[in-house]
Amino acid sequence: MKLLLGLALAAILLVIGYFTFFTSPVLALDEKGCLQCHNKPDIKKTTQQGQVISLFVNEKELNVSAHRFINCDQCHSKPHDTPAVPTKITSAEKCGTCHQYERKLHRESIHGQSLIRGEEGAANCVDCHSNALTPHSVVRVLSPESPAYRRNIADTCDRCHGNEKLMTSYGILEKTYESYMRSYHGKVQTLAKDDLRKLNMATCTNCHGVHDIKKAKDPASKVGSLANLKEACAQCHPGADENFARSFIGHEEASLKSNPAIYYIERGFLLLTASVVAGGLIVTTLAFVHYTWRRPKK
């Protein structure tokens, strides 16, 4: 009996080992053979307007993407009869054929409304879900490699919000990424790395929304009023009231003009810290000199 159990266990291990080490990797669905041409880096197309665009699809990225089991013609229904160059808004509309709820939210958000106005600098789906900025490399949100993975969200937002020229064109002057990373929330996210137990601290989407992000001063925004901000804080801080929310100064740097009390407190702590450190160095130096001077000479 023991011999039979041993043989059965050995057989199971052999089967597992075979499928783990000797089988071919999972490949993306390509029933029409599109990748026979589109996996060539130099494949290009010249539009009617004379613009040359690349038609290359990175097969390695596609094989591990969230869309790897979706056949090409589900998104490209008439691939050889599409004269117009895809834009950010047409790309978002195409994503919306499957992701209808998310597309509706995005269309009503500040990003979606900006795209509708023809502002191509605004974020669409692939800006937040693909490292290569292409729908062929969209990674599942729960994958640590995804730009939308909780630990990576601040860096993903900074792709656009860290672009000074782009932000200036929208009248956004605050250094949002730097102020977030200096905060308690940002420091914990940095230290947590991939520890899921510590990745529950607030990041950009907790306060501003996900697909439904509004302009910060919009009354409908999660941070658009003190009452809304209180509700946003209460998601993580049960019992947070308007006084709690009022203590948050946002991404604006404290200054004499905007937050004089916080400005003076920060400078006071800085002066106190510098004084303590300087005093400690002076005392240590004097003690060392005294010890050296009084030490018996041989």
Side-chain angles (χ1 to χ4, degrees):
M1 185 64 180
K2 290 183 179 180
L3 179 61
L4 289 174
L5 288 174
L7 290 172
L9 180 59
I12 292 172
L13 292 174
L14 285 172
V15 170
I16 293 174
Y18 174 78
F19 281 103
T20 301
F21 298 105
F22 298 103
T23 55
S24 300
V26 176
L27 301 179
L29 186 63
D30 183 24
E31 292 180 342
K32 303 296 176 64
C34 300
L35 289 173
Q36 292 180 20
C37 296
H38 287 276
N39 68 350
K40 299 175 182 176
D42 58 348
I43 184 171
K44 295 179 176 64
K45 172 184 177 179
T46 303
T47 67
Q48 293 178 351
Q49 294 77 27
Q51 182 181 359
V52 178
I53 59 174
S54 173
L55 300 178
F56 170 63
V57 176
N58 189 318
E59 190 173 358
K60 290 183 178 179
E61 291 179 352
L62 187 62
N63 288 341
V64 295
S65 76
H67 297 144
R68 62 186 178 276
F69 299 129
I70 298 176
N71 209 36
C72 306
D73 59 1
Q74 185 165 335
C75 297
H76 305 278
S77 55
K78 296 180 180 179
H80 300 134
D81 188 26
T82 309
V85 179
T87 63
K88 278 193 169 185
I89 194 165
T90 58
S91 176
E93 290 294 340
K94 179 58 69 174
C95 294
T97 57
C98 292
H99 303 281
Q100 297 178 13
Y101 176 69
E102 290 79 6
R103 176 59 186 136
K104 178 181 182 295
L105 293 177
H106 178 264
R107 190 184 289 117
E108 297 170 354
S109 73
I110 183 60
H111 296 139
Q113 289 296 305
S114 297
L115 289 176
I116 290 172
R117 292 194 295 267
E119 300 168 10
E120 286 287 301
N124 74 344
C125 314
V126 296
D127 285 310
C128 301
H129 289 278
S130 166
N131 285 315
L133 303 182
T134 165
H136 303 120
S137 63
V138 170
V139 184
R140 293 186 182 279
V141 171
L142 293 179
S143 170
E145 289 76 34
S146 170
Y149 183 66
R150 189 171 185 82
R151 184 197 61 198
N152 304 329
I153 288 175
D155 292 310
T156 300
C157 293
D158 192 53
R159 290 176 180 177
C160 294
H161 287 269
N163 184 328
E164 187 173 350
K165 183 178 179 180
L166 177 62
M167 290 299 102
T168 301
S169 69
Y170 285 101
I172 300 174
L173 304 178
E174 294 87 353
K175 302 292 184 182
T176 53
Y177 181 79
E178 288 83 350
S179 65
Y180 171 74
M181 296 310 295
R182 285 197 304 268
S183 73
Y184 172 75
H185 297 140
K187 293 183 185 300
V188 172
Q189 291 284 8
T190 301
L191 295 172
K193 296 184 179 180
D194 287 324
D195 190 340
L196 293 177
R197 296 168 300 175
K198 299 176 182 177
L199 283 176
N200 60 345
M201 291 297 166
T203 187
C204 313
T205 51
N206 290 96
C207 301
H208 293 279
V210 185
H211 300 99
D212 58 342
I213 295 173
K214 306 288 186 184
K215 193 173 182 178
K217 295 182 180 179
D218 186 333
S221 167
K222 287 189 172 184
V223 295
S225 68
L226 192 61
N228 289 359
L229 182 59
K230 178 197 73 172
E231 295 299 324
C233 294
Q235 294 177 96
C236 301
H237 303 278
D241 56 13
E242 290 193 0
N243 286 328
F244 183 93
R246 192 178 286 110
S247 66
F248 177 64
I249 65 171
H251 295 289
E252 187 177 0
E253 187 73 23
S255 66
L256 285 173
K257 182 179 179 181
S258 60
N259 293 283
I262 295 177
Y263 175 83
Y264 281 120
I265 291 172
E266 284 183 346
R267 295 306 181 275
F269 271 110
L270 182 63
L271 180 62
L272 178 62
T273 302
S275 302
V276 171
V277 172
L281 289 173
I282 292 172
V283 170
T284 303
T285 302
L286 291 175
F288 178 76
V289 170
H290 177 75
Y291 171 77
T292 303
W293 182 264
R294 296 293 301 272
R295 186 176 59 179
K297 296 181 180 180
K298 295 181 180 179

